[in-house]
Amino acid sequence: MDGGLLEPSLYAIKAIAILDNDGNRLLAKYYDESFPTTKEQKAFEKNLFNKTHRANAEIIMFEGLTCVYKSNVDLFFYVVGSSQENELILASVLNAFYDSISQILRKNVEKRTLLDNMDAVFLAADELCDGGIILEADSNAVVQKVAIKNDDIPLGEQTMAQITSKYGQQVSAATDRVLQSAKDQIKWSLLK
Amino acid sequence: MGRVTSDPVCLYVTCSARRWQLPAQTSSATLRLNRRMLSLKRDKKEEEDGGANPFNNLEKSTVLQEARTFNETPINPRKCGYILTKVLYIINQGESLGTTEATEAFFAMTKLFQSKDPILRRLVYLGIKEMSKIAQDVIIVTSSLMKDMTGKEDQFRGPAIRALCSVTDHSMLQSIERYMKQAIVDKVPGVSSAALVSALHLGKGSHEVIKRWVNEAQEAVNSDNVMVQFHALGLLYHIRKSDKLAVNKLVSKFSKHTLKSPYAYCLLIRIAAKLIEEEDAGSDSPMFDFIESCLRHKSEMVIYEAAHAIVQLKNTTAKDLAPAVSVLQLFCSSPKPTLRFAAVRTLNKVAIKHPAAVTACNLDLENLITDVNRSIATLAITTLLKTGNESSVDRLMKQISTFMSEISDEFKIVVVQAIRSLCSKFPRKHNVLMTFLSQMLRDEGGFDYKKEIVDCIIATIEENAEAKEAGLAHLCEFIEDCEHTVLATKILHLLGREGPRTPTPSKYIRFIYNRVILENAAVRAAAVSAIAKFGAHCDDLLNSCVVLLERCQLDSDDEVRDRATFFVNVLKQQQKALSSAYILNGLQVSVVGLERALHQYTLEPSETPFDMKSVPLATQPITEQRVRDVPGELPSSKPAQDKVAATRQDVYQEQLAQVPELANLGPLFKSSSPVEVTESETEYYVQCIKHTFSNYIVFQFDCTNTLNDQLLEKVTVEMEPAEGFEVTKYVPCASLPYNKPGTTYTLVKLPSEPTQVTGTFACTLKFVVKDCDPQTGEPDEEGYSDEYVLEDVEVNVADHVQKVMKPNFAASWEEVGPENELEDTYALSSMSTIEEAIKNIIQYMGLQPCERSDKVGEGKSSHTLYLAGVFRGGHDALVRAKLALDTSGVTMQLTVRSTDPSVSEILATAVA
């Protein structure tokens, strides 16, 4: 709990991760030697998930580290830093991470869509943080750098006409997908 | 999709199953259907997982096989991109690639440079970075990456630089240096940031090259882009951080010229705080003004960073803290949990040192007690406990107990620590606190948590006599159901020590004896020892204890049987002295020393029996007291300190044994702590350590030559002995080059007259100087003798005495007996308080205070101090000092008991 002054260093992030709603890793990047082996990393993720998946508390001190987190549907986003780190810096990175992924997935922040766009997710994580240094903390800039399928303007700022002309096909595909997942959900709720 | 076709069936089955289940008939048909449903459900579940995650159950070998597609021409970007994502995915899942596998995949990947597809290209960069540490010959991609980094496609350039730096080693750095410098000042922010960040990564290894980029970094700080500014400032600091003056300039320059990036501000605040700390400056420093001005920044991140920095600084007064505390107070009511957490956590830190400064926030903290984030609530409560007054304790404890079960062990430990400090702050509240602690002991929790509670209860028992009975009762209850052997034995030991001295010792015996029946061998053995202590101390319980111990003689474990047999036989003698020596106060020797002495004895068989007095005594860990005084200290540093203290003497013993001239002096009795006999900034720096043996004292002089143009040879310390002492040998240090410590010893025989033990020695450092070249250290042929006067070294009573803790002082007092008792009364007119007198007496005599008698209750005008130790030669020495405070100072009645008459005489005169 105790900490002296922070060493002036740019290395602020110890790890970032996205887990699914069973606590399994979808993406995890560790930037220092806090958890040298995969086994330790996964154990840490499991424990962290168990502590955080029920309480929607946004921040937790865990195993001597400060973890900020955010969840949506079946995804959990984490940013981990040292216990002395400025919590607000970590939170700003988490927001950039979440918002950029959300833009890339066109607001469908859920496991299925994430896995369909895994390449862009990898690229976004890479543009967000490089070896523990925050590379870009503005989600629009991250999305722009990832530049998936030349949509430079974020979806929210486009007019409906633009969207339909530009993504006519994609929209109908997306609608299909939404309908499909709705169907699935009804079906599973019946089964359970 | 296969899923769609199976759906109607599934839905139908669900409905029919529901219909069948409704009447709740347990017919065999329903059961069968249910079972089918279950298996169907399971199949569906698996299918669902597999269907939802195209990357599930990927086989490493299959994926790597697929990666061969990269070699096909023309390249299909979609397909290759998908396969590359799979490769990245399995690496991300923790699959480790072998060198050959990685190299093969790496080379296949390089083929993808032919495609211009932007996504594919950047996935390749990611692949390169992942494999750069595993695969061989990764340098092969250097030219491709350099082409991208200087090319026209801006979105390739930044990532290409970062990938390039991951494959570059020091030898290659020269060749890309020019491009890196250009990239740092590039007008595209992404490129500039990538170059700066990569430079920082490279700077970990090859500082020299990065240093030359300082001008470019300087230019980049002025960038309009916030991230470029942040990264450039980071690089600039990294290059200059060893040059304090330059860092100073850096901060004063950028603190005036307003930075755009909040991240850069945070970094600058940290640099400024570090400077303040290094210079040991206070709030009058211009750096402090800068940090304080950041409290008014528009970004919350910067405000918090500044407040946090001010709180962490060492030389801050309550007045300096006030502005920081008031911004933190504002944050406490923020809608963002992270901000509330950060604020309350920092306030908690303030409360450790300056509880008064936080009282203004009490109202805000009270509101946080009910926060949905339990971490915030816990921190708020523990802060309130530190700042609150006695009357609020009950209410707060009640509030904590409502959510103790919801918070993590780490925070529970924080709560326990807060309670621990409360116990010593408000001793009258022990009732509430003890009840709460016992409640916590009963709840679920890990070892660290339970240990913290037990430590807290034990500390409270030791500090507060009134809490003793309740505390012991709680601990008794705890060991009834305790899965941690370490804690159970610790508690049993405590019960053995404290239990017999309570008004009703008999009630503890049942708890202890239950352990003998139910627990593992280690706990049973501890229980047996505890019972024996009751028997030895309480006469009326003696017979019952013997009966219980006799039963333990039938135990299945030999250690338990041995202990029981031993104790039964000692107790049956019914001699107070025996009981005290073998049961109540135990052995006082160092375990390591005993092991070594016994080993030595078995190597050289002799007629004489093994002499226990030849074994070095266990040195009291001096750290114990200190640790308790500083509750804010990191817990992890405690064990390390204890270890050092316990083995220091063993280290010296080993060292001295290496010197052939000092062999055959017998066992080392005591080593003093080092004393400086020169000023620390002089030409030669010398420390002295006194090692006491039965008939000799060895003076160890650790010398350091701080002149780089001199080589000293044949270094000795000549000593002018006090009366009765005789210098018998000098062990010179053959050569003492610049800045390499060397050691010389002087052996002094102690006077034959037993009461003559103190003296002052004048010391002179004698040596032969040879001038030498400061660079090479090459000395001249010829040298000349020279000397250097050192400060006097004193030998006092404390050097002949080893501290020994007697857990049961009264028993030892009776054991030694009044045979060599000496008594005298002194007026200590120079002392104005009892505490001061106690401190001085302990220092002069070098004895160990027992039964916590070194602590005086507040406002008392009289006190009794118990001291115990062993005098050189193995004679027990006990001192009882009755102190009384009156107008003229402190009056002391000193009673000394010892197994040797001259020892009593020495100690009785030590204070005079």
Side-chain angles (χ1 to χ4, degrees):
Chain A
M1 286 300 295
D2 215 38
L5 279 168
L6 293 162
E7 181 61 21
S9 156
L10 295 192
Y11 292 88
I13 313 292
K14 282 180 183 287
I16 59 174
I18 305 178
L19 308 181
D20 70 6
N21 58 346
D22 293 319
N24 295 318
R25 173 197 288 191
L26 297 175
L27 176 143
K29 286 260 166 210
Y30 288 79
Y31 300 112
D32 70 354
E33 295 303 305
S34 309
F35 302 95
T37 66
T38 311
K39 210 175 143 200
E40 289 168 79
Q41 292 175 1
K42 292 217 166 164
F44 171 73
E45 285 158 28
K46 262 266 141 32
N47 291 336
L48 181 60
F49 178 77
N50 288 338
K51 279 271 176 251
T52 52
H53 77 285
R54 252 172 296 133
N56 197 10
E58 218 182 286
I59 183 162
I60 187 172
M61 286 282 298
F62 184 68
E63 297 188 4
L65 300 167
T66 302
C67 312
V68 289
Y69 61 99
K70 201 165 189 169
S71 64
N72 193 15
V73 193
D74 50 2
L75 291 177
F76 290 80
F77 294 75
Y78 295 90
V79 172
V80 182
S82 109
S83 63
Q84 280 110 288
E85 190 50 65
N86 184 331
E87 290 88 344
L88 303 181
I89 292 184
L90 297 178
S92 76
V93 175
L94 176 71
N95 285 333
F97 188 33
Y98 181 86
D99 293 345
S100 54
I101 299 286
S102 167
Q103 282 189 45
I104 289 168
L105 303 183
R106 302 203 171 75
K107 306 230 165 112
N108 290 319
V109 186
E110 50 171 345
K111 185 176 170 184
R112 178 73 87 61
T113 339
L114 183 95
L115 287 166
D116 287 344
N117 292 287
M118 206 58 207
D119 47 356
V121 173
F122 278 131
L123 290 175
D126 178 63
E127 292 291 351
L128 183 80
C129 178
D130 185 275
I133 299 180
I134 307 164
L135 193 60
E136 182 59 75
D138 174 21
S139 59
N140 289 328
V142 172
V143 174
Q144 199 194 345
K145 284 183 183 173
V146 172
I148 205 100
K149 286 158 206 137
N150 57 22
D151 56 340
D152 347 71
I153 330 165
L155 199 67
E157 293 161 27
Q158 296 177 357
T159 63
M160 204 54 207
Q162 268 179 316
I163 297 174
T164 37
S165 69
K166 225 170 168 183
Y167 304 109
Q169 270 194 315
Q170 281 174 12
V171 169
S172 65
T175 329
D176 282 352
R177 212 166 32 223
V178 171
L179 282 176
Q180 179 60 45
S181 70
K183 244 192 226 168
D184 284 358
Q185 277 181 4
I186 295 167
K187 179 184 79 195
W188 288 120
S189 65
L190 279 173
L191 261 180
K192 281 166 195 164
Chain B
M1 279 167 82
R3 319 170 30 79
V4 181
T5 51
S6 67
D7 280 346
V9 182
C10 183
L11 278 171
Y12 170 74
V13 173
T14 321
C15 299
S16 58
R18 296 251 157 159
R19 194 149 35 88
W20 273 95
Q21 273 172 323
L22 275 176
Q25 289 172 347
T26 42
S27 75
S28 58
T30 326
L31 274 178
R32 216 176 309 134
L33 194 62
N34 273 344
R35 213 170 300 138
R36 242 186 76 200
M37 276 299 305
L38 268 178
S39 70
L40 242 178
K41 217 172 173 178
R42 206 178 307 127
D43 287 350
K44 285 302 290 180
K45 178 82 179 146
E46 276 158 20
E47 195 187 303
E48 164 85 333
D49 281 353
N53 187 349
F55 303 109
N56 218 11
N57 305 325
L58 282 180
E59 276 280 332
K60 181 171 78 171
S61 50
T62 332
V63 176
L64 291 175
Q65 189 78 30
E66 279 185 72
R68 299 204 174 148
T69 322
F70 298 166
N71 292 316
E72 287 168 9
T73 44
I75 288 163
N76 178 345
R78 280 193 76 86
K79 193 173 161 197
C80 291
Y82 184 58
I83 295 168
L84 195 45
T85 311
K86 279 194 203 170
V87 175
L88 290 172
Y89 189 86
I90 58 163
I91 294 176
N92 198 263
Q93 286 297 316
E95 197 78 61
S96 60
L97 300 185
T99 312
T100 355
E101 288 171 325
T103 313
E104 206 168 291
F106 187 82
F107 276 83
M109 223 159 53
T110 58
K111 299 286 193 306
L112 299 177
F113 270 105
Q114 292 168 36
S115 165
K116 284 247 181 301
D117 184 86
I119 300 288
L120 183 60
R121 178 66 60 90
R122 270 154 343 122
L123 288 174
V124 172
Y125 298 150
L126 290 190
I128 289 174
K129 281 200 273 189
E130 290 292 349
M131 291 180 198
S132 62
K133 297 288 169 285
I134 329 167
Q136 290 172 327
D137 301 322
V138 288
I139 311 178
I140 201 101
V141 292
T142 307
S143 63
S144 304
L145 289 171
M146 265 163 67
K147 215 172 104 200
D148 282 354
M149 125 183 205
T150 52
K152 285 197 190 65
E153 287 281 356
D154 280 346
Q155 47 167 297
F156 288 173
R157 292 173 60 202
I161 291 172
R162 294 188 285 122
L164 179 62
C165 288
S166 74
V167 296
T168 304
D169 58 9
H170 301 246
S171 53
M172 295 290 297
L173 197 55
Q174 303 273 353
S175 59
I176 61 163
E177 189 181 352
R178 190 163 62 91
Y179 300 104
M180 286 298 286
K181 281 183 171 184
Q182 276 170 10
I184 289 177
V185 291
D186 199 286
K187 62 180 191 308
V188 180
V191 176
S192 180
S193 274
L196 288 162
V197 169
S198 302
L200 270 164
H201 293 320
L202 292 169
K204 282 188 206 158
S206 47
H207 200 68
E208 286 310 308
V209 181
I210 310 303
K211 262 188 181 166
R212 297 201 289 261
W213 305 354
V214 64
N215 287 332
E216 283 75 16
Q218 193 99 49
E219 199 180 323
V221 183
N222 298 323
S223 163
D224 285 336
N225 184 284
V226 288
M227 290 320 278
V228 174
Q229 192 172 60
F230 168 56
H231 295 138
L233 186 66
L235 182 62
L236 213 52
Y237 172 69
H238 180 79
I239 293 172
R240 291 189 172 160
K241 70 177 166 197
S242 50
D243 180 356
K244 217 182 202 174
L245 201 69
V247 176
N248 232 319
K249 270 190 197 156
L250 184 95
V251 179
S252 51
K253 181 179 167 197
F254 290 110
S255 56
K256 285 186 198 86
H257 140 306
T258 40
L259 294 163
K260 283 203 184 69
S261 160
Y263 297 100
Y265 258 111
C266 290
L267 183 67
L268 204 58
I269 290 170
R270 286 182 204 182
I271 300 172
K274 192 171 180 216
L275 277 177
I276 295 177
E277 208 69 337
E278 276 173 1
E279 287 166 7
D280 222 12
S283 54
D284 46 346
S285 156
M287 301 290 163
F288 188 86
D289 292 342
F290 162 67
I291 298 180
E292 197 171 24
S293 74
C294 290
L295 289 174
R296 294 180 291 278
H297 195 268
K298 59 181 186 301
S299 161
E300 280 169 346
M301 190 191 288
V302 178
I303 301 173
Y304 171 63
E305 184 75 46
H308 185 258
I310 292 176
V311 167
Q312 291 287 348
L313 287 174
K314 270 199 265 54
N315 296 339
T316 41
T317 59
K319 190 167 148 275
D320 304 329
L321 283 172
V325 170
S326 60
V327 299
L328 292 172
Q329 185 177 6
L330 280 179
F331 286 169
C332 280
S333 44
S334 158
K336 294 181 198 160
T338 307
L339 201 51
R340 295 199 301 273
F341 178 89
V344 71
R345 197 157 93 95
T346 312
L347 284 175
N348 194 6
K349 276 182 198 150
V350 183
I352 294 173
K353 265 198 278 173
H354 303 276
V358 190
T359 34
C361 309
N362 276 2
L363 208 64
D364 304 79
L365 290 170
E366 298 248 355
N367 290 333
L368 293 180
I369 293 178
T370 49
D371 201 292
V372 279
N373 186 326
R374 288 307 179 205
S375 308
I376 296 177
T378 316
L379 283 168
I381 289 201
T382 50
T383 314
L384 281 171
L385 287 178
K386 285 182 191 121
T387 63
N389 46 22
E390 200 160 348
S391 58
S392 60
V393 169
D394 294 82
R395 189 170 49 86
L396 289 171
M397 296 313 288
K398 201 174 261 170
Q399 248 157 339
I400 305 181
S401 51
T402 56
F403 64 83
M404 263 322 261
S405 57
E406 294 170 45
I407 57 178
S408 69
D409 269 13
E410 265 139 339
F411 274 105
K412 286 181 184 166
I413 291 174
V414 174
V415 174
V416 176
Q417 281 165 348
I419 294 179
R420 188 168 173 166
S421 63
L422 270 186
C423 288
S424 47
K425 203 164 139 200
F426 304 123
R428 267 183 295 168
K429 282 286 163 201
H430 68 85
N431 235 335
V432 186
L433 298 170
M434 275 294 182
T435 322
F436 187 75
L437 285 172
S438 72
Q439 197 70 44
M440 286 163 93
L441 264 183
R442 268 179 237 141
D443 293 341
E444 285 295 303
F447 172 71
D448 288 328
Y449 170 49
K450 290 286 159 89
K451 184 172 174 296
E452 196 66 41
I453 305 175
V454 170
D455 285 349
C456 177
I457 295 184
I458 292 177
T460 314
I461 291 174
E462 292 188 347
E463 277 167 27
N464 190 345
E466 285 168 46
K468 193 151 124 185
E469 284 220 40
L472 289 179
H474 292 315
L475 291 176
C476 282
E477 191 191 323
F478 174 59
I479 53 169
E480 291 278 82
D481 183 23
C482 170
E483 54 190 319
H484 309 292
T485 304
V486 183
L487 291 182
T489 49
K490 188 172 182 168
I491 293 170
L492 284 169
H493 181 76
L494 179 84
L495 285 176
R497 205 177 70 203
E498 300 290 342
R501 281 179 281 177
T502 54
T504 50
S506 57
K507 71 175 175 195
Y508 298 105
I509 292 189
R510 180 175 62 88
F511 289 102
I512 300 174
Y513 190 67
N514 278 349
R515 297 304 97 210
V516 179
I517 303 168
L518 298 165
E519 288 284 355
N520 61 37
V523 179
R524 292 203 302 272
V528 164
S529 302
I531 294 178
K533 284 184 186 158
F534 280 87
H537 195 271
C538 318
D539 292 331
D540 48 336
L541 293 175
L542 179 64
N543 287 331
S544 334
C545 287
V546 170
V547 171
L548 290 177
L549 288 173
E550 274 171 346
R551 280 193 214 159
C552 299
Q553 285 174 308
L554 303 170
D555 196 279
S556 59
D557 184 81
D558 51 359
E559 169 70 23
V560 181
R561 282 199 306 272
D562 287 354
R563 284 196 191 190
T565 313
F566 172 73
F567 290 133
V568 165
N569 285 305
V570 174
L571 286 175
K572 279 188 173 165
Q573 303 294 318
Q574 301 209 1
Q575 289 179 27
K576 277 281 163 206
L578 268 185
S579 303
S580 162
Y582 292 106
I583 300 179
L584 293 175
N585 286 323
L587 272 182
Q588 304 287 1
V589 294
S590 132
V591 177
V592 187
L594 178 61
E595 188 187 351
R596 192 177 300 140
L598 283 171
H599 181 65
Q600 202 64 39
Y601 184 75
T602 51
L603 285 183
E604 295 160 13
S606 68
E607 292 292 304
T608 52
F610 180 73
D611 183 11
M612 207 57 189
K613 285 181 179 169
S614 70
V615 180
L617 294 161
T619 34
Q620 275 299 316
I622 324 151
T623 50
E624 199 182 36
Q625 221 81 43
R626 199 171 55 212
V627 167
R628 201 176 300 152
D629 290 341
V630 194
E633 204 177 356
L634 271 179
S636 60
S637 61
K638 284 183 204 166
Q641 276 180 347
D642 280 355
K643 212 168 171 185
V644 173
T647 56
R648 199 172 76 98
Q649 184 147 354
D650 295 320
V651 171
Y652 285 133
Q653 171 114 45
E654 202 101 289
Q655 255 179 26
L656 293 172
Q658 305 293 321
V659 185
E661 289 92 333
L662 302 176
N664 309 322
L665 293 179
L668 175 61
F669 179 73
K670 184 182 182 176
S671 297
S672 73
S673 39
V675 182
E676 289 180 13
V677 286
T678 58
E679 304 284 325
S680 57
E681 301 289 322
T682 47
E683 299 97 304
Y684 314 111
Y685 174 59
V686 185
Q687 275 191 333
C688 175
I689 301 168
K690 293 166 278 186
H691 302 288
T692 314
F693 291 84
S694 336
N695 297 312
Y696 292 89
I697 288 191
V698 171
F699 294 88
Q700 173 185 341
F701 294 95
D702 292 331
C703 317
T704 311
N705 170 12
T706 60
L707 299 176
N708 61 1
D709 57 352
Q710 280 191 359
L711 172 77
L712 308 186
E713 286 183 348
K714 295 181 195 147
V715 184
T716 55
V717 174
E718 202 171 274
M719 301 182 83
E720 194 85 17
E723 203 188 319
F725 292 85
E726 183 191 342
V727 177
T728 55
K729 212 175 272 174
Y730 292 107
V731 182
C733 172
S735 115
L736 193 63
Y738 164 62
N739 224 0
K740 284 203 184 103
T743 303
T744 163
Y745 299 95
T746 304
L747 180 64
V748 172
K749 194 175 187 327
L750 289 164
S752 45
E753 168 63 41
T755 53
Q756 196 179 6
V757 291
T758 57
T760 303
F761 295 77
C763 304
T764 317
L765 190 69
K766 296 216 163 181
F767 46 83
V768 174
V769 187
K770 285 184 175 172
D771 292 327
C772 65
D773 189 315
Q775 258 78 46
T776 58
E778 196 66 39
D780 290 350
E781 291 282 306
E782 290 293 303
Y784 52 91
S785 305
D786 201 352
E787 58 179 52
Y788 186 85
V789 179
L790 304 175
E791 287 167 25
D792 292 352
V793 175
E794 300 252 2
V795 172
N796 40 37
V797 176
D799 289 322
H800 301 275
V801 180
Q802 185 69 280
K803 291 180 176 189
V804 165
M805 176 60 123
K806 297 282 186 194
N808 193 328
F809 186 82
S812 296
W813 187 253
E814 292 310 315
E815 176 194 339
V816 172
E819 198 179 326
N820 299 312
E821 187 175 287
L822 281 178
E823 197 171 79
D824 213 338
T825 309
Y826 300 87
L828 310 171
S829 50
S830 59
M831 324 270 178
S832 55
T833 63
I834 291 190
E835 284 86 355
E836 191 188 347
I838 290 176
K839 214 176 113 208
N840 280 301
I841 295 167
I842 293 173
Q843 198 191 334
Y844 283 128
M845 295 198 172
L847 292 166
Q848 173 71 29
C850 296
E851 318 237 337
R852 291 176 294 284
S853 59
D854 53 331
K855 294 214 176 91
V856 189
E858 230 168 276
K860 287 202 176 157
S861 61
S862 64
H863 183 74
T864 308
L865 175 69
Y866 300 107
L867 298 169
V870 168
F871 194 82
R872 175 170 54 82
H875 306 292
D876 272 337
L878 301 171
V879 170
R880 188 181 65 200
K882 289 184 176 164
L883 300 160
L885 186 69
D886 55 35
T887 45
S888 61
V890 178
T891 318
M892 171 173 75
Q893 188 193 32
L894 191 74
T895 316
V896 185
R897 284 187 178 186
S898 168
T899 44
D900 185 271
S902 50
V903 173
S904 300
E905 199 177 318
I906 293 166
L907 286 175
T909 51
V911 182

